[in-house]
Amino acid sequence: MSCVTSILRRALAVCLFMTLLLSAAPMLVVHAEEAEDGSPVVITLDPGHGGKKSADGSTGTGTAAAEKFGGKNELFYTMSISAYCKERLEQYQNVEVYLTRENNEDCPGLVERADMAKAHGSDALISIHSNSASNASAKGAEIIIPNRNLHAKIGEDSEACAGVILNTMVEQTGVTRRRIYTKDSGSAKFEDGSVADHFQVIRHGKLNGTSVVMIVECAFLSSPEDYNNHFADEEKLKAMGYAIADGLAAYYALEPIPAMELIHTSNDELRY
């Protein structure tokens, strides 16, 4: 009898140990590619467009649709959202964040932006834009990702990351969910003869081997509803930037910096 009791006690102890172990484990691991050596996740944010035509003539001020509502071109909104996104990401541990431009006068070329991400050793290149359409009823957020040609895993990882970002944008800002999609070039081919991606930032980000590449179209500047809900003031731009950042943090399983380590200075900058 004592032998049976001993066996039952041991079995109960094992069950209790397994229960505690499983309860302590995270319920969901979104992304499991954190570097084993503890090196940081590197993210390059690309505020779409810029103050003038770039040397290659590929970019400029962006859509003028905002002139109907806020009196500003797309570049102003993308710069603000990207800056807020960087601000929020830097409230997480083990991450480095870079911008392809830091003001509204600079305008790097599209290939140059992808090359900047490569030079930083980026895990992700996130190009931030606002959308526009001739139909003022078009609204919502959508994300463009690489196709599966040449480097299929980049397309797969980008789609997974885009899904987390779009979900977070919808949850935190209330923006309408549109879609995640790819767009092929009408003529360009990759070296293996497969159809290349249409957008140069995505195409060259993929060619550079950046693991996650996408264009985030935050909402429609041509929509009065989207403009009023997502672009009309700094708080709305901040909410959008923070949502993109929190989506990236969720995908890369970043942990917030403990609150006691964040000291707010008088000008609202964060010091660590």
Side-chain angles (χ1 to χ4, degrees):
M1 184 69 176
S2 61
C3 181
V4 172
T5 302
S6 177
I7 292 172
L8 288 173
R9 284 177 176 170
R10 289 180 183 179
L12 181 61
V14 171
C15 289
L16 179 60
F17 173 76
M18 292 303 297
T19 300
L20 291 172
L21 182 63
L22 290 172
S23 65
M27 294 301 292
L28 174 65
V29 177
V30 176
H31 185 67
E33 292 189 10
E34 184 176 348
E36 292 182 1
D37 61 0
S39 59
V41 174
V42 182
I43 297 172
T44 293
L45 303 173
D46 172 36
H49 303 286
K52 60 184 184 302
K53 287 283 185 182
S54 57
D56 63 8
S58 58
T59 60
T61 57
T63 177
E67 299 290 347
K68 301 174 184 176
F69 307 109
K72 293 180 180 179
N73 291 107
E74 181 179 357
L75 77 149
F76 292 96
Y77 300 104
T78 61
M79 185 72 252
S80 291
I81 292 170
S82 299
Y84 284 125
C85 186
K86 182 176 187 289
E87 175 183 276
R88 178 61 169 170
L89 280 169
E90 290 176 341
Q91 295 175 30
Y92 288 93
Q93 303 178 60
N94 205 38
V95 62
E96 291 180 6
V97 189
Y98 299 93
L99 294 171
T100 59
R101 65 179 177 92
E102 298 187 358
N103 56 59
N104 288 321
E105 287 72 49
D106 293 339
C107 187
L110 297 176
V111 175
E112 184 181 357
R113 294 170 194 242
D115 288 346
M116 286 179 181
K118 180 181 180 180
H120 295 311
S122 300
D123 297 288
L125 170 58
I126 312 298
S127 189
I128 296 176
H129 287 254
S130 59
N131 223 331
S132 181
S134 57
N135 182 356
S137 66
K139 64 180 182 178
E142 58 188 25
I143 300 180
I144 309 160
I145 58 171
N147 63 28
R148 296 296 198 273
N149 295 339
L150 191 64
H151 299 303
K153 192 172 188 306
I154 291 177
E156 293 165 4
D157 288 350
S158 297
E159 183 172 17
C161 183
V164 180
I165 291 174
L166 187 57
N167 285 344
T168 309
M169 292 168 69
V170 172
E171 291 167 5
Q172 293 190 10
T173 73
V175 68
T176 299
R177 179 194 307 275
R178 284 177 65 87
R179 56 179 175 162
I180 296 171
Y181 70 102
T182 64
K183 185 172 182 179
D184 292 342
S185 170
S187 57
K189 305 284 186 181
F190 286 125
E191 59 190 23
D192 63 355
S194 61
V195 177
D197 297 278
H198 172 76
F199 294 101
Q200 289 197 56
V201 165
I202 290 177
R203 185 192 309 170
H204 289 279
K206 179 193 284 187
L207 287 170
N208 286 342
T210 303
S211 299
V212 168
V213 187
M214 70 186 71
I215 297 172
V216 179
E217 296 279 7
C218 296
F220 281 73
L221 282 171
S222 53
S223 161
E225 180 180 345
D226 268 5
Y227 176 80
N228 291 328
N229 289 338
H230 305 297
F231 298 107
D233 57 52
E234 286 298 313
E235 285 304 310
K236 291 178 174 62
L237 297 172
K238 181 177 181 178
M240 188 64 73
Y242 271 40
I244 295 169
D246 287 344
L248 282 162
Y251 178 72
Y252 286 107
L254 301 176
E255 294 291 335
I257 295 173
M260 65 180 65
E261 296 183 22
L262 292 175
I263 302 173
H264 290 270
T265 61
S266 58
N267 62 358
D268 261 355
E269 292 180 352
L270 293 174
R271 185 173 66 237
Y272 303 99

